[in-house]
Amino acid sequence: AAEARLWESTVPAAVVLELRPGGEPMPDPAPRNRSVVLLAPRGGEASYPLEIGGYARTFEANVVLRLVQEGHAVRDTFATASDYVYMWGEVRLALPAGPAGRLELQAGQGNMETGAWEGVSVPIEVR
């Protein structure tokens, strides 16, 4: 674990990252694959509005977000990342309402060549 401080300097122009031991350990690694990192939610209990956040480098910056219950998509939407394909862009979305119970949140995209789903998922319990 480390504490970090980041600032910019104008003379000379620089971005400075200072690290020192300490702080709270990070939770388990975020669900990720080659095109999506899901930072929130991390799993477990959740509620509406459901805040979804992470980073993606998907085709045309489109990140498909699905709520799956008992093997069926019960909510299907998308968010746009702040960059695409080669660069990681931040992605954020808040779902104001939706289904409750045991769900699987999926974030990703369809493979452009095969149509197969490429993404990450996390189990959540929405009350």
PDB file of all heavy atoms in Angstrom, residues 13-43:
ATOM      1  N   ALA A  13       8.013  22.535 -16.934  1.00  0.00           N
ATOM      2  CA  ALA A  13       6.743  21.839 -17.158  1.00  0.00           C
ATOM      3  C   ALA A  13       6.921  20.359 -16.818  1.00  0.00           C
ATOM      4  O   ALA A  13       7.801  19.695 -17.353  1.00  0.00           O
ATOM      5  CB  ALA A  13       6.299  21.996 -18.597  1.00  0.00           C
ATOM      6  N   ALA A  14       6.089  19.880 -15.897  1.00  0.00           N
ATOM      7  CA  ALA A  14       6.196  18.481 -15.475  1.00  0.00           C
ATOM      8  C   ALA A  14       4.940  18.062 -14.737  1.00  0.00           C
ATOM      9  O   ALA A  14       4.229  18.894 -14.177  1.00  0.00           O
ATOM     10  CB  ALA A  14       7.414  18.294 -14.559  1.00  0.00           C
ATOM     11  N   VAL A  15       4.691  16.776 -14.761  1.00  0.00           N
ATOM     12  CA  VAL A  15       3.686  16.167 -13.905  1.00  0.00           C
ATOM     13  C   VAL A  15       4.459  15.315 -12.905  1.00  0.00           C
ATOM     14  O   VAL A  15       5.258  14.462 -13.294  1.00  0.00           O
ATOM     15  CB  VAL A  15       2.690  15.300 -14.709  1.00  0.00           C
ATOM     16  CG1 VAL A  15       1.737  14.582 -13.771  1.00  0.00           C
ATOM     17  CG2 VAL A  15       1.934  16.143 -15.715  1.00  0.00           C
ATOM     18  N   VAL A  16       4.252  15.563 -11.616  1.00  0.00           N
ATOM     19  CA  VAL A  16       5.040  14.923 -10.575  1.00  0.00           C
ATOM     20  C   VAL A  16       4.158  13.967  -9.778  1.00  0.00           C
ATOM     21  O   VAL A  16       3.074  14.340  -9.326  1.00  0.00           O
ATOM     22  CB  VAL A  16       5.649  15.979  -9.633  1.00  0.00           C
ATOM     23  CG1 VAL A  16       6.477  15.315  -8.544  1.00  0.00           C
ATOM     24  CG2 VAL A  16       6.482  16.974 -10.424  1.00  0.00           C
ATOM     25  N   LEU A  17       4.619  12.742  -9.619  1.00  0.00           N
ATOM     26  CA  LEU A  17       3.944  11.740  -8.807  1.00  0.00           C
ATOM     27  C   LEU A  17       4.860  11.396  -7.654  1.00  0.00           C
ATOM     28  O   LEU A  17       5.981  10.931  -7.848  1.00  0.00           O
ATOM     29  CB  LEU A  17       3.636  10.487  -9.633  1.00  0.00           C
ATOM     30  CG  LEU A  17       3.056   9.304  -8.866  1.00  0.00           C
ATOM     31  CD1 LEU A  17       1.719   9.665  -8.239  1.00  0.00           C
ATOM     32  CD2 LEU A  17       2.933   8.100  -9.769  1.00  0.00           C
ATOM     33  N   GLU A  18       4.386  11.631  -6.447  1.00  0.00           N
ATOM     34  CA  GLU A  18       5.156  11.356  -5.244  1.00  0.00           C
ATOM     35  C   GLU A  18       4.499  10.194  -4.507  1.00  0.00           C
ATOM     36  O   GLU A  18       3.294  10.211  -4.279  1.00  0.00           O
ATOM     37  CB  GLU A  18       5.142  12.608  -4.367  1.00  0.00           C
ATOM     38  CG  GLU A  18       5.961  12.512  -3.125  1.00  0.00           C
ATOM     39  CD  GLU A  18       5.882  13.823  -2.359  1.00  0.00           C
ATOM     40  OE1 GLU A  18       6.441  14.824  -2.817  1.00  0.00           O
ATOM     41  OE2 GLU A  18       5.220  13.818  -1.301  1.00  0.00           O
ATOM     42  N   LEU A  19       5.267   9.172  -4.164  1.00  0.00           N
ATOM     43  CA  LEU A  19       4.755   7.989  -3.461  1.00  0.00           C
ATOM     44  C   LEU A  19       5.476   7.815  -2.145  1.00  0.00           C
ATOM     45  O   LEU A  19       6.675   8.093  -2.035  1.00  0.00           O
ATOM     46  CB  LEU A  19       4.964   6.730  -4.307  1.00  0.00           C
ATOM     47  CG  LEU A  19       4.220   6.643  -5.622  1.00  0.00           C
ATOM     48  CD1 LEU A  19       4.705   5.449  -6.428  1.00  0.00           C
ATOM     49  CD2 LEU A  19       2.733   6.528  -5.372  1.00  0.00           C
ATOM     50  N   ARG A  20       4.741   7.331  -1.138  1.00  0.00           N
ATOM     51  CA  ARG A  20       5.370   6.956   0.128  1.00  0.00           C
ATOM     52  C   ARG A  20       4.593   5.791   0.719  1.00  0.00           C
ATOM     53  O   ARG A  20       3.397   5.646   0.473  1.00  0.00           O
ATOM     54  CB  ARG A  20       5.455   8.131   1.076  1.00  0.00           C
ATOM     55  CG  ARG A  20       4.142   8.599   1.596  1.00  0.00           C
ATOM     56  CD  ARG A  20       4.349   9.709   2.605  1.00  0.00           C
ATOM     57  NE  ARG A  20       3.042  10.098   3.097  1.00  0.00           N
ATOM     58  CZ  ARG A  20       2.745  11.280   3.532  1.00  0.00           C
ATOM     59  NH1 ARG A  20       3.654  12.223   3.542  1.00  0.00           N
ATOM     60  NH2 ARG A  20       1.549  11.542   3.981  1.00  0.00           N
ATOM     61  N   PRO A  21       5.233   4.932   1.480  1.00  0.00           N
ATOM     62  CA  PRO A  21       4.553   3.780   2.057  1.00  0.00           C
ATOM     63  C   PRO A  21       3.405   4.217   2.965  1.00  0.00           C
ATOM     64  O   PRO A  21       3.462   5.265   3.600  1.00  0.00           O
ATOM     65  CB  PRO A  21       5.642   3.079   2.870  1.00  0.00           C
ATOM     66  CG  PRO A  21       6.921   3.587   2.326  1.00  0.00           C
ATOM     67  CD  PRO A  21       6.641   4.982   1.833  1.00  0.00           C
ATOM     68  N   GLY A  22       2.351   3.398   2.995  1.00  0.00           N
ATOM     69  CA  GLY A  22       1.234   3.684   3.893  1.00  0.00           C
ATOM     70  C   GLY A  22      -0.088   3.633   3.162  1.00  0.00           C
ATOM     71  O   GLY A  22      -0.173   3.217   2.016  1.00  0.00           O
ATOM     72  N   GLY A  23      -1.122   4.061   3.850  1.00  0.00           N
ATOM     73  CA  GLY A  23      -2.452   4.072   3.252  1.00  0.00           C
ATOM     74  C   GLY A  23      -3.121   2.717   3.355  1.00  0.00           C
ATOM     75  O   GLY A  23      -2.552   1.741   3.842  1.00  0.00           O
ATOM     76  N   GLU A  24      -4.352   2.671   2.899  1.00  0.00           N
ATOM     77  CA  GLU A  24      -5.127   1.432   2.924  1.00  0.00           C
ATOM     78  C   GLU A  24      -4.821   0.592   1.689  1.00  0.00           C
ATOM     79  O   GLU A  24      -4.658   1.136   0.594  1.00  0.00           O
ATOM     80  CB  GLU A  24      -6.622   1.754   2.950  1.00  0.00           C
ATOM     81  CG  GLU A  24      -7.071   2.452   4.230  1.00  0.00           C
ATOM     82  CD  GLU A  24      -6.907   1.571   5.450  1.00  0.00           C
ATOM     83  OE1 GLU A  24      -7.232   0.369   5.366  1.00  0.00           O
ATOM     84  OE2 GLU A  24      -6.450   2.083   6.491  1.00  0.00           O
ATOM     85  N   PRO A  25      -4.779  -0.724   1.835  1.00  0.00           N
ATOM     86  CA  PRO A  25      -4.559  -1.567   0.654  1.00  0.00           C
ATOM     87  C   PRO A  25      -5.733  -1.443  -0.313  1.00  0.00           C
ATOM     88  O   PRO A  25      -6.869  -1.224   0.105  1.00  0.00           O
ATOM     89  CB  PRO A  25      -4.478  -2.986   1.214  1.00  0.00           C
ATOM     90  CG  PRO A  25      -4.413  -2.855   2.689  1.00  0.00           C
ATOM     91  CD  PRO A  25      -4.848  -1.482   3.062  1.00  0.00           C
ATOM     92  N   MET A  26      -5.437  -1.557  -1.576  1.00  0.00           N
ATOM     93  CA  MET A  26      -6.468  -1.543  -2.600  1.00  0.00           C
ATOM     94  C   MET A  26      -7.276  -2.831  -2.501  1.00  0.00           C
ATOM     95  O   MET A  26      -6.760  -3.864  -2.118  1.00  0.00           O
ATOM     96  CB  MET A  26      -5.840  -1.448  -3.997  1.00  0.00           C
ATOM     97  CG  MET A  26      -5.189  -0.120  -4.302  1.00  0.00           C
ATOM     98  SD  MET A  26      -6.361   1.200  -4.478  1.00  0.00           S
ATOM     99  CE  MET A  26      -7.151   0.749  -6.001  1.00  0.00           C
ATOM    100  N   PRO A  27      -8.568  -2.768  -2.879  1.00  0.00           N
ATOM    101  CA  PRO A  27      -9.354  -4.003  -2.920  1.00  0.00           C
ATOM    102  C   PRO A  27      -8.820  -4.931  -4.005  1.00  0.00           C
ATOM    103  O   PRO A  27      -7.931  -4.547  -4.775  1.00  0.00           O
ATOM    104  CB  PRO A  27     -10.766  -3.508  -3.246  1.00  0.00           C
ATOM    105  CG  PRO A  27     -10.609  -2.139  -3.774  1.00  0.00           C
ATOM    106  CD  PRO A  27      -9.305  -1.597  -3.263  1.00  0.00           C
ATOM    107  N   ASP A  28      -9.392  -6.114  -4.087  1.00  0.00           N
ATOM    108  CA  ASP A  28      -8.980  -7.070  -5.115  1.00  0.00           C
ATOM    109  C   ASP A  28      -8.916  -6.380  -6.470  1.00  0.00           C
ATOM    110  O   ASP A  28      -9.641  -5.410  -6.714  1.00  0.00           O
ATOM    111  CB  ASP A  28      -9.957  -8.240  -5.176  1.00  0.00           C
ATOM    112  CG  ASP A  28      -9.864  -9.116  -3.941  1.00  0.00           C
ATOM    113  OD1 ASP A  28      -8.803  -9.111  -3.289  1.00  0.00           O
ATOM    114  OD2 ASP A  28     -10.844  -9.799  -3.635  1.00  0.00           O
ATOM    115  N   PRO A  29      -8.082  -6.881  -7.372  1.00  0.00           N
ATOM    116  CA  PRO A  29      -7.971  -6.246  -8.690  1.00  0.00           C
ATOM    117  C   PRO A  29      -9.332  -6.113  -9.366  1.00  0.00           C
ATOM    118  O   PRO A  29     -10.211  -6.962  -9.212  1.00  0.00           O
ATOM    119  CB  PRO A  29      -7.074  -7.200  -9.473  1.00  0.00           C
ATOM    120  CG  PRO A  29      -6.332  -7.973  -8.447  1.00  0.00           C
ATOM    121  CD  PRO A  29      -7.246  -8.058  -7.251  1.00  0.00           C
ATOM    122  N   ALA A  30      -9.486  -5.029 -10.093  1.00  0.00           N
ATOM    123  CA  ALA A  30     -10.734  -4.769 -10.813  1.00  0.00           C
ATOM    124  C   ALA A  30     -10.912  -5.788 -11.936  1.00  0.00           C
ATOM    125  O   ALA A  30      -9.933  -6.200 -12.565  1.00  0.00           O
ATOM    126  CB  ALA A  30     -10.703  -3.357 -11.394  1.00  0.00           C
ATOM    127  N   PRO A  31     -12.160  -6.181 -12.203  1.00  0.00           N
ATOM    128  CA  PRO A  31     -12.399  -7.043 -13.361  1.00  0.00           C
ATOM    129  C   PRO A  31     -11.902  -6.338 -14.625  1.00  0.00           C
ATOM    130  O   PRO A  31     -12.166  -5.159 -14.831  1.00  0.00           O
ATOM    131  CB  PRO A  31     -13.922  -7.200 -13.382  1.00  0.00           C
ATOM    132  CG  PRO A  31     -14.370  -6.859 -12.006  1.00  0.00           C
ATOM    133  CD  PRO A  31     -13.388  -5.862 -11.487  1.00  0.00           C
ATOM    134  N   ARG A  32     -11.164  -7.065 -15.467  1.00  0.00           N
ATOM    135  CA  ARG A  32     -10.579  -6.420 -16.644  1.00  0.00           C
ATOM    136  C   ARG A  32     -10.318  -7.446 -17.731  1.00  0.00           C
ATOM    137  O   ARG A  32     -10.178  -8.633 -17.466  1.00  0.00           O
ATOM    138  CB  ARG A  32      -9.299  -5.691 -16.284  1.00  0.00           C
ATOM    139  CG  ARG A  32      -8.213  -6.630 -15.792  1.00  0.00           C
ATOM    140  CD  ARG A  32      -7.061  -5.853 -15.196  1.00  0.00           C
ATOM    141  NE  ARG A  32      -6.066  -6.681 -14.585  1.00  0.00           N
ATOM    142  CZ  ARG A  32      -6.159  -7.256 -13.406  1.00  0.00           C
ATOM    143  NH1 ARG A  32      -7.243  -7.105 -12.684  1.00  0.00           N
ATOM    144  NH2 ARG A  32      -5.196  -7.983 -12.921  1.00  0.00           N
ATOM    145  N   ASN A  33     -10.259  -6.950 -18.950  1.00  0.00           N
ATOM    146  CA  ASN A  33      -9.774  -7.728 -20.085  1.00  0.00           C
ATOM    147  C   ASN A  33      -8.976  -6.771 -20.952  1.00  0.00           C
ATOM    148  O   ASN A  33      -8.614  -5.683 -20.510  1.00  0.00           O
ATOM    149  CB  ASN A  33     -10.923  -8.441 -20.824  1.00  0.00           C
ATOM    150  CG  ASN A  33     -11.805  -7.508 -21.624  1.00  0.00           C
ATOM    151  OD1 ASN A  33     -11.640  -6.287 -21.603  1.00  0.00           O
ATOM    152  ND2 ASN A  33     -12.747  -8.061 -22.337  1.00  0.00           N
ATOM    153  N   ARG A  34      -8.735  -7.111 -22.204  1.00  0.00           N
ATOM    154  CA  ARG A  34      -7.861  -6.265 -23.034  1.00  0.00           C
ATOM    155  C   ARG A  34      -8.496  -4.948 -23.447  1.00  0.00           C
ATOM    156  O   ARG A  34      -7.806  -4.052 -23.912  1.00  0.00           O
ATOM    157  CB  ARG A  34      -7.385  -7.026 -24.262  1.00  0.00           C
ATOM    158  CG  ARG A  34      -8.461  -7.410 -25.215  1.00  0.00           C
ATOM    159  CD  ARG A  34      -7.904  -8.229 -26.384  1.00  0.00           C
ATOM    160  NE  ARG A  34      -8.844  -8.233 -27.469  1.00  0.00           N
ATOM    161  CZ  ARG A  34      -8.819  -7.382 -28.477  1.00  0.00           C
ATOM    162  NH1 ARG A  34      -7.876  -6.482 -28.539  1.00  0.00           N
ATOM    163  NH2 ARG A  34      -9.730  -7.433 -29.425  1.00  0.00           N
ATOM    164  N   SER A  35      -9.839  -4.787 -23.257  1.00  0.00           N
ATOM    165  CA  SER A  35     -10.462  -3.542 -23.693  1.00  0.00           C
ATOM    166  C   SER A  35     -11.305  -2.843 -22.631  1.00  0.00           C
ATOM    167  O   SER A  35     -11.749  -1.725 -22.854  1.00  0.00           O
ATOM    168  CB  SER A  35     -11.323  -3.786 -24.938  1.00  0.00           C
ATOM    169  OG  SER A  35     -12.323  -4.736 -24.671  1.00  0.00           O
ATOM    170  N   VAL A  36     -11.523  -3.453 -21.467  1.00  0.00           N
ATOM    171  CA  VAL A  36     -12.363  -2.848 -20.423  1.00  0.00           C
ATOM    172  C   VAL A  36     -11.784  -3.130 -19.044  1.00  0.00           C
ATOM    173  O   VAL A  36     -11.362  -4.251 -18.768  1.00  0.00           O
ATOM    174  CB  VAL A  36     -13.810  -3.386 -20.482  1.00  0.00           C
ATOM    175  CG1 VAL A  36     -14.654  -2.807 -19.357  1.00  0.00           C
ATOM    176  CG2 VAL A  36     -14.456  -3.102 -21.821  1.00  0.00           C
ATOM    177  N   VAL A  37     -11.805  -2.115 -18.178  1.00  0.00           N
ATOM    178  CA  VAL A  37     -11.504  -2.265 -16.753  1.00  0.00           C
ATOM    179  C   VAL A  37     -12.704  -1.701 -16.013  1.00  0.00           C
ATOM    180  O   VAL A  37     -13.067  -0.544 -16.205  1.00  0.00           O
ATOM    181  CB  VAL A  37     -10.232  -1.494 -16.335  1.00  0.00           C
ATOM    182  CG1 VAL A  37     -10.019  -1.578 -14.836  1.00  0.00           C
ATOM    183  CG2 VAL A  37      -9.021  -1.997 -17.086  1.00  0.00           C
ATOM    184  N   LEU A  38     -13.354  -2.515 -15.187  1.00  0.00           N
ATOM    185  CA  LEU A  38     -14.540  -2.092 -14.454  1.00  0.00           C
ATOM    186  C   LEU A  38     -14.146  -1.772 -13.017  1.00  0.00           C
ATOM    187  O   LEU A  38     -13.788  -2.665 -12.255  1.00  0.00           O
ATOM    188  CB  LEU A  38     -15.601  -3.199 -14.492  1.00  0.00           C
ATOM    189  CG  LEU A  38     -16.961  -2.867 -13.919  1.00  0.00           C
ATOM    190  CD1 LEU A  38     -17.607  -1.702 -14.669  1.00  0.00           C
ATOM    191  CD2 LEU A  38     -17.858  -4.091 -13.980  1.00  0.00           C
ATOM    192  N   LEU A  39     -14.198  -0.498 -12.643  1.00  0.00           N
ATOM    193  CA  LEU A  39     -13.814  -0.079 -11.296  1.00  0.00           C
ATOM    194  C   LEU A  39     -14.992  -0.040 -10.324  1.00  0.00           C
ATOM    195  O   LEU A  39     -14.815  -0.209  -9.130  1.00  0.00           O
ATOM    196  CB  LEU A  39     -13.150   1.297 -11.341  1.00  0.00           C
ATOM    197  CG  LEU A  39     -11.846   1.368 -12.128  1.00  0.00           C
ATOM    198  CD1 LEU A  39     -11.321   2.782 -12.167  1.00  0.00           C
ATOM    199  CD2 LEU A  39     -10.810   0.427 -11.526  1.00  0.00           C
ATOM    200  N   ALA A  40     -16.184   0.233 -10.828  1.00  0.00           N
ATOM    201  CA  ALA A  40     -17.365   0.317  -9.963  1.00  0.00           C
ATOM    202  C   ALA A  40     -18.590  -0.105 -10.750  1.00  0.00           C
ATOM    203  O   ALA A  40     -18.728   0.258 -11.910  1.00  0.00           O
ATOM    204  CB  ALA A  40     -17.549   1.741  -9.442  1.00  0.00           C
ATOM    205  N   PRO A  41     -19.445  -0.886 -10.142  1.00  0.00           N
ATOM    206  CA  PRO A  41     -19.292  -1.496  -8.820  1.00  0.00           C
ATOM    207  C   PRO A  41     -18.319  -2.666  -8.870  1.00  0.00           C
ATOM    208  O   PRO A  41     -18.076  -3.222  -9.928  1.00  0.00           O
ATOM    209  CB  PRO A  41     -20.707  -1.962  -8.485  1.00  0.00           C
ATOM    210  CG  PRO A  41     -21.343  -2.234  -9.810  1.00  0.00           C
ATOM    211  CD  PRO A  41     -20.733  -1.249 -10.755  1.00  0.00           C
ATOM    212  N   ARG A  42     -17.787  -3.035  -7.715  1.00  0.00           N
ATOM    213  CA  ARG A  42     -16.820  -4.119  -7.627  1.00  0.00           C
ATOM    214  C   ARG A  42     -17.470  -5.450  -7.276  1.00  0.00           C
ATOM    215  O   ARG A  42     -16.802  -6.451  -7.131  1.00  0.00           O
ATOM    216  CB  ARG A  42     -15.764  -3.810  -6.572  1.00  0.00           C
ATOM    217  CG  ARG A  42     -14.836  -2.671  -6.901  1.00  0.00           C
ATOM    218  CD  ARG A  42     -14.029  -2.896  -8.169  1.00  0.00           C
ATOM    219  NE  ARG A  42     -12.735  -3.476  -8.031  1.00  0.00           N
ATOM    220  CZ  ARG A  42     -11.646  -2.848  -7.661  1.00  0.00           C
ATOM    221  NH1 ARG A  42     -11.689  -1.603  -7.300  1.00  0.00           N
ATOM    222  NH2 ARG A  42     -10.507  -3.472  -7.621  1.00  0.00           N
ATOM    223  N   GLY A  43     -18.780  -5.450  -7.102  1.00  0.00           N
ATOM    224  CA  GLY A  43     -19.479  -6.670  -6.729  1.00  0.00           C
ATOM    225  C   GLY A  43     -20.124  -6.512  -5.373  1.00  0.00           C
ATOM    226  O   GLY A  43     -19.889  -5.538  -4.665  1.00  0.00           O
TER     227      GLY A  43
END
